Amino acid sequence: MEEAKEREKLTLVTRKSCFGLPTSCPNCLPAYVYLKFSGTPFDLDFNLINPDSDQIPYVESGTYVAYNNEKGGVIRSLSEDGFVDLDSQVRGIPEWISAKAMVDSWLADAIIYELWVGSDGTSAHKIYYSDLPWPLGKILYLKQVHVVKQILGITKENAERREEEIYRNANDAFCALSTRLGEQAYFFDNRPTSLDAVFLGHALFTLYALPETSVLRSKLLEHDNLVRYTEKYKSELVDSSGSSSSGSQSQSDPSSSMPRRPSQWSSKPKSKPKREKTEEEKKFRRRAKYFLVTQLVAVLVFLSLLGGSDAAEVELDEDDDGADYD
C-alpha cells in the first residue's frame, strides 16, 4: 500500500471551501477527514462547474478514479481498492457496525433534511449555487428540495411526523455516540476508523455550516464530549493543516485560533485582492457558460415534467395523488 501511495499522489476533488471548512459539502468532509486521519498525502481540488453532481467527492490517482456514487462511496472504494483502510481491526465488531449504520443513516438524513427542507436554504445556496446566476440557482435549489423530499419519504400529509422522526433518530444517535465515546480519543480500538471520519465530517458541518437556529445543531451541543471531540480534531486536522495536504486548497480563516464556545465560531470569508485573470481561468469561464446552458435545459425539462406545478412555491410536493382539490 505504501508503494501505491508513492507511485501516484491522491487528489481529492470536492465542492468549494466556505464556513471556515476545507470543503463545505457534507458528503465531502468525511472523505477529507478520512484521508487526514490516515496520514495519506493528498492534494485538494475543487469542482465548481457541476454543483449538483452525485459523483462529488471523488479521488483521482493516475488513471484510478473513485466516485462518490459508485461502490458505496469514496471511503469504501479507497478501502476495498487497497489505498487506505482504517477499519481492518474493527470491521467485524457488532457495536462498531451498528454505530456506523446510525451515523450513515440517521445523522446523514438529519443533515440533508436541515440543509434542504428544514431551513431557509441559505447554507445550501452558498455551498452549491452561489456561483450561478440567481434564477438558475433558485430553480436548481427547488429541484433538489423536491429530490430530498422523495429520498426522505416526505409528503404533504406526513411532513410533521417525518420531521419528528428525523430529529428523534438524530438525538438517539448523538446520545449513543456520546456514551460510546466517553472521554476516549476515538470511538473504537483507540485509533481512528471510518466511523470517526464520517461522524466528524457530519459534526463539523452541523456546527459550522448550519445556522445557529438549527435544531440539529442544538441537539449536538447538548453533548459536551462530542463538541470537544469535534473541536480537538478540527484544530489538529483542519486549522493546522496549512498547505501540507494540498497545494490547491483554499484556506478560510487561517489566522483564527479555535474559539472556546461554538456560538463564537465565524464563517466570514476573507476577501482576496483583484488580479488579472489567467488564460486557464478564462477557459474555465467559457466552460462554465456551456455548463449553465445545459443546466438551463435540464431545468426546463424538469419543470415540464412536473406538469403545471407552481414553480413559485418553495415547497414542491411530490405526492399529488393524495391532494384534496375540494
Side-chain angles (χ1 to χ4, degrees), residues 235-292:
S235 178
E236 293 182 6
L237 303 180
V238 177
D239 295 340
S240 63
S241 62
S243 60
S244 60
S245 66
S246 168
S248 60
Q249 179 178 351
S250 299
Q251 297 296 319
S252 300
D253 287 342
S255 61
S256 61
S257 60
M258 174 59 64
R260 296 182 62 83
R261 298 295 301 165
S263 60
Q264 295 174 305
W265 293 354
S266 171
S267 60
K268 295 180 180 178
K270 300 193 72 175
S271 59
K272 297 181 180 179
K274 293 183 178 179
R275 58 181 176 81
E276 190 71 20
K277 290 184 174 65
T278 64
E279 189 61 34
E280 183 178 349
E281 289 173 325
K282 292 178 181 178
K283 181 188 292 186
F284 169 79
R285 289 181 64 85
R286 289 195 295 269
R287 292 175 58 193
K289 290 179 181 178
Y290 289 115
F291 164 75
L292 294 179

Side-chain angles (χ1 to χ4, degrees), residues 156-157 319-325:
K156 185 189 302 182
E157 291 74 18
D319 190 9
D320 292 333
D321 294 337
D324 185 358
Y325 295 102

Side-chain angles (χ1 to χ4, degrees), residues 109-184:
D109 286 352
I111 283 177
I112 66 170
Y113 175 81
E114 283 227 345
L115 185 60
W116 299 103
V117 182
S119 68
D120 62 2
T122 302
S123 295
H125 174 77
K126 188 170 183 178
I127 297 166
Y128 297 93
Y129 307 124
S130 58
D131 296 313
L132 301 179
W134 180 85
L136 180 58
K138 185 65 174 180
I139 294 174
L140 289 174
Y141 167 76
L142 294 175
K143 175 186 174 183
Q144 187 62 25
V145 170
H146 180 71
V147 170
V148 169
K149 285 185 175 181
Q150 289 183 315
I151 292 173
L152 297 178
I154 297 174
T155 67
K156 185 189 302 182
E157 291 74 18
N158 72 0
E160 185 174 345
R161 176 175 59 81
R162 284 294 292 132
E163 178 180 7
E164 293 176 355
E165 290 175 352
I166 288 169
Y167 284 132
R168 182 172 62 251
N169 289 341
N171 186 63
D172 289 346
F174 285 143
C175 290
L177 291 167
S178 177
T179 300
R180 174 67 210 181
L181 180 65
E183 298 303 321
Q184 301 177 104

Side-chain angles (χ1 to χ4, degrees), residues 165-217:
E165 290 175 352
I166 288 169
Y167 284 132
R168 182 172 62 251
N169 289 341
N171 186 63
D172 289 346
F174 285 143
C175 290
L177 291 167
S178 177
T179 300
R180 174 67 210 181
L181 180 65
E183 298 303 321
Q184 301 177 104
Y186 305 104
F187 285 106
F188 282 87
D189 202 27
N190 198 33
R191 57 183 294 177
T193 68
S194 63
L195 170 61
D196 295 272
V198 176
F199 172 77
L200 186 57
H202 290 340
L204 286 169
F205 183 83
T206 299
L207 292 174
Y208 280 83
L210 294 179
E212 291 193 2
T213 55
S214 160
V215 175
L216 186 63
R217 187 176 187 270

